[in-house]
Every structure is written in structure tokens, then in C-alpha cells.
Amino acid sequence: MKNSILKFLLFKFSRPLILIVLIIVFTVFTDTFWAPDNWTNISNIILQQAPFSVLLATAMTMTIILNGFDLSIGASVAFISCVCGYILRATGNPVYAIIAGVGLGAVVGTMNGILVTKAKIPSFVSTYAMKWVLNGFALVLLGGKQIYNFGPKFRPLFISNKFTFFYIMVAVLVIVSLIMKYTVFGRQVYATGNNPEAARISGIKTDLVTLKIYLMGGMIVGLVAVMYIANLGTAEPNIGTDFPINAIAAALIGGTAIGGGSGSVGKAIFGAMIILTLQNGMVQIGVPSVWQQVIVGLVILLSIFMERGLNKLAVRYEE
Amino acid sequence: MNKLIVVLKKVPGLIWGSFLALVVFAILAPKFLNPLNLINILNNSSVLLIIASGMTIAILSGQLDISVGGIATLAAMTAGLYLHNVGDTSAINIILAFVIGILVGMAVGSLNGLLIGVYQYNYWLVTFSTMSISYGLSQVLTNGNIISGYSKMFRNIANHRFLGMPQLVWIALAVVIVIIFITYRTKFGMHIYAIGDSEQCAAQSGINVKRIRFSIFVIAGGLAGLGGVLLVSRTNSASPIIGFGYEFDAIAAVIIGGTPFSGGSGGVIGTIVGTVMLYAIKAGLQLVGFSVYVQQVFIGIFILSIIVVDVINQNRKKEKGSRRVYK
């Protein structure tokens, strides 16, 4: 009995545990990852990298709850950041850029949503095709060049205070998790993800729910694109190729199950932090950066193994 | 005459649409119908044809293999590295390079097959992660560098002309004929169609679904590996992005060729037409004078609309079918 309670706790808190173990391992084996008098690396992860990874993982998690994927997020970031770069160069007004970024994200998200709901194309095929189209548009806009010089107002708005990205992330996460947990819409999303047919029969407009989720995801991605060029200072059409796979790996290792109906903002946060810690720690230990893509692929495989293993454990516990 | 009409009616509408596009190109760019251009189109489409025929059997069984581009790259890099290290002037080494490439492909394919076929994990996620792993390993092999400069003997395998066509075209043709024979004339082929039609029916009528699914991914992987090595021979360089985008083109070629995502109908013959059409349209866009970037947008939108049309058609057919049942 005691053994099974331990197993249950392990099951429930496995992700935080993985994160803690990773942090301890990297702290012990390297000098640069974390030390009481060396916070640069950790603050770099939390303030510079986490806002992007966590927000993208959240957008991905929302589509996975509905048993879909969004492979266009990388290309969306590339395309939207190029358009925003253009707008900033022409007007220099950050407000236009932010509105255009989030608005374009909403448009791309809606198009993905329409392809998934109305045309009923499997989401990984439609968003993958969308990725090529958006990448193409970004390349047509900039022709393989970079764009910079965004005017005097835009970048200081984001980087004058180093906590700005973090605050934006927290605000978005709070809004999304409130919507998912405490609104009728949020309940409808989980119902639709769990069993679309049953949800439809009980009166939920599943197509509309799906469309709204892709719309929300698109808006988050648009926001990330604006933050991205603010952070980098340049916009180029070739960024973001590894965003989708990192986001999927983050969502899945965070404990969001494929097949729909499960997943939350909290899981996305832990997943993204696990991936970030792993990638950062590997670099600190001295693994060449070319290995990163292999590691992310292995993490996805590992997480689907883990999901099945934990499910079996849960079934045994319930018995 | 009637027979001809029946046969023509069987040709999927997408092929007619692509055919229309070709006529437009032929009018806009007179060079399009130049024999040299036509041979070039065939030459360009050969590698995709080999990879897409593997994709066809995966889609026929109702699943997808997104890792083919990654597998082709990994096979190209391993074979390229092997030839670079042991010397590429002896016939034995070249044959061994091809064997290594195909074996690498089959190894990744059997990992796919094991996880998807035997342990029944989500096919899309598994092949997506093996795609990432293969691209990553190709980077690791040479630290992201390109290996180029191979001997004439190795380059000739793809580029030497035989009966007026590059040998690559003949190799692709031979591979496709074998795959056509397997899918249309053997028990294994019939089982692929049966599984694509209804996995449950197939399992209950005694087909070993796990084994068939496993073999499908091994074959798709092996073909992708062969395609990768041929790419090295054709382009005289092995780069860690050599197969980038082939998975997308392969899916597009299969869908244009009339094999639906739902599986169970269509076949490799359609894929041949689909592949050639895809490259003909690419060549046409180039001849009309669009930049590479505009081409990518056009091709992307074209493929996306093809997929939309195909899926809507299939859904309509399905609805018609169910209406008949409930009447």
C-alpha cells in the first residue's frame, strides 16, 4: 500500500521531479550552470529564453488538447516578424507593430483553424503546408536578407527593463489558464478534445471551439514574433525552423497526452523548462550544439514511452 | 472507345488540373516543350519518385512517414562520409556505399516500424521525432559541413547517359516497377491495401497487421536511403540539408497522384504521374521567370489547395457512402 502511494506521488509529480533532477545534475557536474554566486546563466534562461519557449509551448499545448498540432508556429514567427520589421521601419511606431503582429497571428491562426475544421484536413498536414507557404511569403518579403533599425521607440519598450519579457509571459499565462480553467469555453475545449463526437452531441459547437483555440494560439505566436524581433533587433525570414519540434517536445515531456483532452498551462511551463534546462546544461557540459536536434527528437520519443508507462501505472494504482 | 472513356474517367481530377497548368506553361514559355527541358524534368523528379513510392505504400496503409527526408539526408551523409574516407575509385566501395545508405535507411525505418507497427505509437509523432533525430545525426556526422568532390565513377552512376536519358531516370524506373509489382501483384501488396481500407477487417481476416506495418516502414526507409545516396551521386556533394523538404514533396506527389490520406485506394502508378507533374510545374514556374522565393509560395499554395480539394472530395464520398447505408 505504501509502495503504491509512493508510485502515485511519483506519477503525479514526475515532471517537477525531472526538472529538479536535471538542475541538480547540471549544477553538480558543471561550474557554469548555477552557483550561489553565479546567477547569470539561470537569469538568462528565465528572463531571456523561457518567455519564448513557454509561450510557444503553451500555444502548442492548446492545440494538442484538441488532438491536433500546429507545425506552422516557426514559420508564423518568421513571417510575422518580417512584416512587423517592415512596419517598424516605415512608421517607427511600436503600437502599429504590436497590433499588426497579434492581428496577423490571429489571421494565420484562423486560417489554420478553418483548414482543420471546415476542410477537415489532419492538423499536422494542413499546418505543415501552411509552414511552407508562410516561409515562402517571408522570403518573398525580404529575399533572404535581414531587416533591422526599428526606430528609437520600439526596442527600449521591451528591453529597457530586463523583466519585461517575463512579465508579458506571466500575464499571458495567467489569462490563458484562467480561460482554460474557469470559463465555459475552457470546459468545452477539454470536452471537445476528450471526445469530439460526444461533445458535439451534447450541444457544443466543436468547430467554433477548435477555431477559437487556433485563433488564440495564433495570437500568442504573433506576440512571440513581436517579442522576438524586440529581443534580437533584427528580423530575418529563416528563423524559427526548430520552434515547432521544440514546442512539441516541451508540451509532451510536460505531460500533455497525445490524443486530446489533457494538458494545461502548468504542464507547458514545466515541459518548456525541462527542454531549456536540458539544452542549456548540455552546452555547459560540453556537448556540441549539433547534438541538440538529436536530443529533442529523443525527448519526444522518451515522453511518449513515459506517457504509456505512467498510464499503465495509473491503471494498476486504480485497481 | 467506351473502354477509353472509362479509363479516362478513372484519372483523378487533380491530374487533369495539373495537366491544365502544364498547357498554360507550354503556351507562356515555349521553351517548356523543349526535349532537353523535358528530360531535365524527368531527371529532377527521379529521386523524389523513389522516395515517394515508399511514401505511397505508407499512405496506402493509412499512415504517413514524415521521416523520409531526414532518412535520405542521414543515408546521404553516411554514404558520403564512407566514400570520402575509404576512397571512391573502386567499384566495390561504391557498391558498399549504396548498401550502407540503404541499410541506414532500413535501420531508421525499422525503428519507425517497431514503434508504430508493433508497439502502436502515434505514427505521426514517431516519424516526426525520427526525422528530427536523423537530421540531427547528419549534422553531427560532419559537424554540419558539406563533403563534396567525388570521383567520376561515382558521379556517373546517376549522371551517365544511357539511351539518351540519365541513368538516374532508369534506376528510378526500375525501382518503381519493382514497387508496382509488389503492390499490385503480391499478397503483401494486397494486404497493404486491405489494412488501409480497414485495419480491423484486415486483422480479423487473419492478416498479420503488425508485421505488414513494420515492413512498410522498413521499405519506405530503405527507398529513402537509396534516394539519398543517389542524390549525392547526382549533385556531387553530401550536405546535411540535402533531403530537406522531400517529405513534403513526397506527400504532395502521392496526393496529386490520386492516393487519398485515408488509404486503401490509389497506387504507385498515380504517384509517378504526380511526381512528374510536381516537377513539371516547378520547372514551368522557373521558365516563366518567377524567383525561387515566389516559386516556394506558389508550390506551397498549390499543394495546400490540392490537399484541401482531395480531403473535401474524400469526405463527400464518405458522406454519400453512409447515406446509402442508412436509407
Side-chain angles (χ1 to χ4, degrees), chain A residues 150-231:
Chain A
F150 296 141
K153 282 190 223 146
F154 177 64
R155 287 195 71 199
L157 189 68
F158 287 95
I159 54 173
S160 58
N161 181 352
K162 64 176 181 178
F163 289 99
T164 311
F165 290 134
F166 188 74
Y167 291 148
I168 295 175
M169 174 187 84
V170 172
V172 173
L173 292 182
V174 167
I175 293 171
V176 172
S177 59
L178 285 181
I179 290 177
M180 299 302 274
K181 268 213 175 103
Y182 297 110
T183 63
V184 178
F185 170 69
R187 297 283 102 201
Q188 288 179 340
V189 172
Y190 283 104
T192 308
N194 239 328
N195 188 340
E197 195 55 30
R200 198 180 60 77
I201 290 170
S202 52
I204 298 173
K205 286 179 180 145
T206 50
D207 279 3
L208 199 64
V209 168
T210 313
L211 197 65
K212 278 184 187 163
I213 280 289
Y214 277 91
L215 180 89
M216 272 168 71
M219 283 165 76
I220 294 179
V221 171
L223 186 65
V224 170
V226 176
M227 285 158 62
Y228 200 83
I229 52 172
N231 191 23

Side-chain angles (χ1 to χ4, degrees), chain A residues 228-248:
Chain A
Y228 200 83
I229 52 172
N231 191 23
L232 225 59
T234 59
E236 52 176 324
N238 291 322
I239 55 168
T241 43
D242 56 348
F243 285 0
I245 191 148
N246 283 349
I248 289 176

Side-chain angles (χ1 to χ4, degrees), chain A residues 14-283:
Chain A
S14 53
R15 269 65 189 209
L17 201 69
I18 292 176
L19 186 58
I20 292 168
V21 168
L22 278 177
I23 290 175
I24 292 174
V25 166
F26 289 132
T27 310
V28 169
F29 284 98
T30 69
D31 303 328
T32 44
F33 184 78
W34 178 78
D37 54 344
N38 179 9
W39 286 85
T40 22
N41 190 36
I42 292 285
S43 77
N44 184 31
I45 292 180
I46 292 177
L47 299 179
Q48 291 286 320
Q49 296 171 351
F52 300 96
S53 301
V54 171
L55 285 181
L56 289 176
T58 309
M60 187 63 85
T61 301
M62 287 180 354
T63 54
I64 296 181
I65 293 173
L66 287 177
N67 197 11
F69 291 96
D70 188 350
L71 295 183
S72 67
I73 56 171
S76 294
V77 170
F79 170 64
I80 295 171
S81 62
C82 287
V83 175
C84 287
Y86 252 96
I87 291 174
L88 282 170
R89 218 162 162 188
T91 65
N93 191 339
V95 179
Y96 290 153
I98 295 170
I99 292 173
V102 177
L104 265 179
V107 171
V108 172
T110 313
M111 278 163 73
N112 277 332
I114 289 174
L115 284 175
V116 171
T117 54
K118 291 296 166 209
K120 295 198 169 46
I121 305 174
S123 61
F124 52 84
V125 175
S126 57
T127 54
Y128 199 59
M130 190 59 111
K131 170 196 133 164
W132 286 90
V133 175
L134 289 174
N135 254 339
F137 273 129
L139 284 167
V140 170
L141 263 180
L142 291 189
K145 291 192 294 283
Q146 289 186 341
I147 188 170
Y148 41 86
N149 194 2
F150 296 141
K153 282 190 223 146
F154 177 64
R155 287 195 71 199
L157 189 68
F158 287 95
I159 54 173
S160 58
N161 181 352
K162 64 176 181 178
F163 289 99
T164 311
F165 290 134
F166 188 74
Y167 291 148
I168 295 175
M169 174 187 84
V170 172
V172 173
L173 292 182
V174 167
I175 293 171
V176 172
S177 59
L178 285 181
I179 290 177
M180 299 302 274
K181 268 213 175 103
Y182 297 110
T183 63
V184 178
F185 170 69
R187 297 283 102 201
Q188 288 179 340
V189 172
Y190 283 104
T192 308
N194 239 328
N195 188 340
E197 195 55 30
R200 198 180 60 77
I201 290 170
S202 52
I204 298 173
K205 286 179 180 145
T206 50
D207 279 3
L208 199 64
V209 168
T210 313
L211 197 65
K212 278 184 187 163
I213 280 289
Y214 277 91
L215 180 89
M216 272 168 71
M219 283 165 76
I220 294 179
V221 171
L223 186 65
V224 170
V226 176
M227 285 158 62
Y228 200 83
I229 52 172
N231 191 23
L232 225 59
T234 59
E236 52 176 324
N238 291 322
I239 55 168
T241 43
D242 56 348
F243 285 0
I245 191 148
N246 283 349
I248 289 176
L252 294 183
I253 196 74
T256 299
I258 40 174
S262 92
S264 66
V265 174
K267 285 175 176 172
I269 296 174
F270 274 114
M273 290 315 291
I274 290 173
I275 294 283
L276 276 179
T277 311
L278 194 62
Q279 286 183 335
N280 185 290
M282 287 292 183
V283 173

Side-chain angles (χ1 to χ4, degrees), chain B residues 96-158:
Chain B
L96 272 178
F98 273 92
V99 172
I100 287 173
I102 294 170
L103 282 182
V104 166
M106 287 169 82
V108 182
S110 55
L111 178 65
N112 283 337
L114 195 70
L115 293 178
I116 299 165
V118 182
Y119 292 108
Q120 296 176 340
Y121 285 101
N122 179 315
Y123 63 90
W124 183 81
L125 262 181
V126 170
T127 53
F128 192 63
S129 41
T130 47
M131 169 179 96
S132 173
I133 294 172
S134 327
Y135 277 129
L137 281 177
S138 330
Q139 298 266 0
V140 169
L141 275 178
T142 59
N143 240 330
N145 293 321
I146 298 173
I147 313 171
S148 59
Y150 288 99
S151 71
K152 196 148 198 237
M153 194 172 172
F154 179 60
R155 279 182 282 147
N156 267 345
I157 290 179

Side-chain angles (χ1 to χ4, degrees), chain B residues 24-94:
Chain B
V24 172
F25 286 134
I27 295 168
L28 283 180
K31 269 188 198 162
F32 188 74
L33 290 178
N34 192 327
L36 264 180
N37 185 44
L38 295 181
I39 289 182
N40 205 14
I41 290 174
L42 284 183
N43 195 15
N44 284 338
S45 44
S46 298
V47 171
L48 179 62
L49 186 54
I50 294 174
I51 295 177
S53 51
M55 182 67 93
T56 312
I57 53 173
I59 293 186
L60 276 178
S61 74
Q63 298 185 324
L64 280 179
D65 184 352
I66 310 191
S67 63
V68 286
I71 293 178
T73 311
L74 185 58
M77 291 308 282
T78 8
L81 198 64
Y82 172 77
L83 279 179
H84 184 74
N85 286 343
V86 299
D88 51 357
T89 42
S90 75
I92 296 174
N93 279 343
I94 291 177

